């Protein structure tokens, strides 16, 4: 098994070089992260282009086995990967956090390896015969964010490689070491040039997405950056899958059981300390159960320890960076200034060395308050009171984004009827945010387009070709 120090040494910049990376829980120096030049980017793209025909020429079975071997490699280095992820990203080892993320990387690799994608016979009527094949696209650019830096990279890389593409992958500049460490582990099982890491910030990402050699870009990040990538893609008609920001709504119906749903509500909102694209970010609760839901949520939230990630007792961590701390702080202050009621938290220590923002629940908040209408991406949940479900649906749909949503009720059919009217790529019932490697995932409106996971995810990184005759 690979040790943490070995893994870190393999990806960190040499002493005196690179950009210093600090632990978001303590402010301690972790190491320096490398930053690639555009010449290094050119080399990475050239390597991907050179390696692609041989990779595509392998049988699907060979590529499937390679994905399984990559999963084995992740499992061999799981402890070291989780430790680095916890130190650099901030998420605790325990709970649905660092170990969970690394474990999910292996699961996603295996399920992606085993997902069938047979050739489809689309017409066979005695007169016409046509088959639909899914061919490799070529080189796929992978650009990832800092909240789930390993798992989101796997979501993009695993189907791309399975379908015979080679990859150039750029981790977020906020979690470069974690991203590079994962790529180094995966590369233990891949031929040279198949998976090519590049390290850098948005400018390097911008230089990558205009490369004519790329056939496809897989991007997860902000809507603002997604729009820039759409513009950049026009030059070469580069295919895109975009998983952008969300401001997921949850609607609690009058017949929901407040105590029974409280823990799922909590994790729906606070998984990864709220730094999750498809987390519950605004909760609409019917007047008849409003006080009971607030009370039950406070009870669950109070019992969830927040602290340094390497400390086993913690299940919530710091915000990954100071910028995000500032966003959450500004939005909660706006809520407080409006007269909304603080049920829990809301008083951060602004002079600490880390980026801890306390678990915060805000009640009796105006539906138009900035904490409700903007994406907080942190541990602060606004709880809006409603009396007419039509009003709750209208408020949920008023956002210009639509990644996930949830409906909470004791009556599954009633919940499904509401779900059909909510504008979101996924609507969960009595839970929020759970993803599964066989269940397609993607957004509507400005949360992006394209589907990931399962058969649909494999199709997204393929060039469909009809063979007619
Ligand atoms: P977030 O801060 O939520 O992660 P960003 O959209 O800022 O969202 O960043 C997501 C990823 O996109 C990062 O890897 C970042 O370096 C990259 N990126 C930022 N700007 C651009 C751009 N103009 N073109 C391509 N990639 C970019």
């Amino acid at each position: 098994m690979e040790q943490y120090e070995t893994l870190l040494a393999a990806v960190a910049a040499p002493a005196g070089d690179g950009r210093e990376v600090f632990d978001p829980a303590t402010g301690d120096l972790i190491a320096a992260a490398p930053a690639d030049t555009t010449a290094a980017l050119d080399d990475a793209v050239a390597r991907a282009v050179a390696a692609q025909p041989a990779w595509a020429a392998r049988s699907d079975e060979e590529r499937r086995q390679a994905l399984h071997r990559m999963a084995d490699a992740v499992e061999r280095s799981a402890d070291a990967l989780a430790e680095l992820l916890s130190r650099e990203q901030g998420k605790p080892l325990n709970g649905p956090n660092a170990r969970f993320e690394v474990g999910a990387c292996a699961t996603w690799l295996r399920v992606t390896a085993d997902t069938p994608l047979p050739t489809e016979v689309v017409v066979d009527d005695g007169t016409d015969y046509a088959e639909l094949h899914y061919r490799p696209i070529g080189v796929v650019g992978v650009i990832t964010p800092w909240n789930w830096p390993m798992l989101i990279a796997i979501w993009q890389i695993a189907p791309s490689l399975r379908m015979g593409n080679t990859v150039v992958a750029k981790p977020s500049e906020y979690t470069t070491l974690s991203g590079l460490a994962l790529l180094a582990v995966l590369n233990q099982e891949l031929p040279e040039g198949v998976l090519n890491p590049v390290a850098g910030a948005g400018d390097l990402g911008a230089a990558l997405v205009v490369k004519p050699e790329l056939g496809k870009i897989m991007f997860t990040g902000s809507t603002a950056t997604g729009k820039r990538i759409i513009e950049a893609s026009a030059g070469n008609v580069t295919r895109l899958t975009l998983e952008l920001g969300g401001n997921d709504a949850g609607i609690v119906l009058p017949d929901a059981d407040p105590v029974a749903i409280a823990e799922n509500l909590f994790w729906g909102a606070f998984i990864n300390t709220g730094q999750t694209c498809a987390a519950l970010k605004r909760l609409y609760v019917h007047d008849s159960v409003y006080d009971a839901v607030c009370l039950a949520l406070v009870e669950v939230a109070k019992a969830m320890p927040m602290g340094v990630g390497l400390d086993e007792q913690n299940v919530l961590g710091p915000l990954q960076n100071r910028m995000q701390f500032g966003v959450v702080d500004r939005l909660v202050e706006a809520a407080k200034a409006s007269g909304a009621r603080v049920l829990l938290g809301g008083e951060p220590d602004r002079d600490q060395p880390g980026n801890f923002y306390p678990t915060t629940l805000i009640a009796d908040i105006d539906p138009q308050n900035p904490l409700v209408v903007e994406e907080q991406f942190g541990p602060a949940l606004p709880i809006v009171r409603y009396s007419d479900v039509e009003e709750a649906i209208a408020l949920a749909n008023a956002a210009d984004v639509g990644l996930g949503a949830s409906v909470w009720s004791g009556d599954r059919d009633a919940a499904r009827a509401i779900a059909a009217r909510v504008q979101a790529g996924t609507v969960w019932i009595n839970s929020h945010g759970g993803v599964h490697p066989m269940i397609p995932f993607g957004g509507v409106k400005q949360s992006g387009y394209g589907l990931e996971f399962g058969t649909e995810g494999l199709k997204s990184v393929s060039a469909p070709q009809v063979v007619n005759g």
Side-chain angles (χ1 to χ4, degrees), residues 37-104:
T37 59
T38 49
L41 173 68
D42 294 346
D43 287 348
V45 172
R47 282 197 304 275
V49 170
Q52 199 271 330
W55 182 246
R58 292 190 178 207
S59 68
D60 185 45
E61 178 57 28
E62 284 178 287
R63 289 195 300 265
R64 292 180 51 220
Q65 284 171 11
L67 262 63
H68 279 291
R69 286 198 306 276
M70 288 155 72
D72 295 341
V74 167
E75 283 164 355
R76 281 197 303 273
S77 294
D79 288 347
L81 286 168
E83 181 174 344
L84 180 54
L85 180 60
S86 182
R87 285 183 192 271
E88 187 187 40
Q89 204 285 333
K91 62 181 69 190
L93 287 174
N94 211 342
N97 293 299
R99 289 195 191 105
F100 167 84
E101 179 167 352
V102 173

Side-chain angles (χ1 to χ4, degrees), residues 143-146 170-173 201-202 205-206 219-222 225 228-229:
I143 299 178
T144 44
W146 48 260
K170 192 197 83 60
S172 167
E173 59 273 35
F219 173 74
T220 300
S222 63
T225 303
R228 279 186 217 113
I229 292 176

Side-chain angles (χ1 to χ4, degrees), residues 103-133:
C105 288
T107 303
W108 243 271
L109 282 160
R110 294 197 193 285
V111 176
T112 307
D114 294 342
T115 301
L117 184 58
T119 298
E120 295 166 31
V121 177
V122 286
V123 174
D124 181 11
D125 60 6
T127 311
D128 287 298
Y129 181 83
E131 292 172 341
L132 182 56
H133 294 254

Side-chain angles (χ1 to χ4, degrees), residues 153-178:
I154 290 290
W155 289 352
Q156 305 185 354
I157 291 166
S160 298
L161 296 185
R162 162 78 194 278
M163 295 312 295
N165 307 289
T166 55
V167 167
V168 178
K170 192 197 83 60
S172 167
E173 59 273 35
Y174 289 102
T175 48
T176 305
L177 297 169
S178 303

Side-chain angles (χ1 to χ4, degrees), residues 238-251:
T238 313
R239 270 69 181 149
L240 301 177
T241 293
L242 302 172
E243 203 260 78
L244 309 178
N247 192 9
D248 289 12
I251 301 176

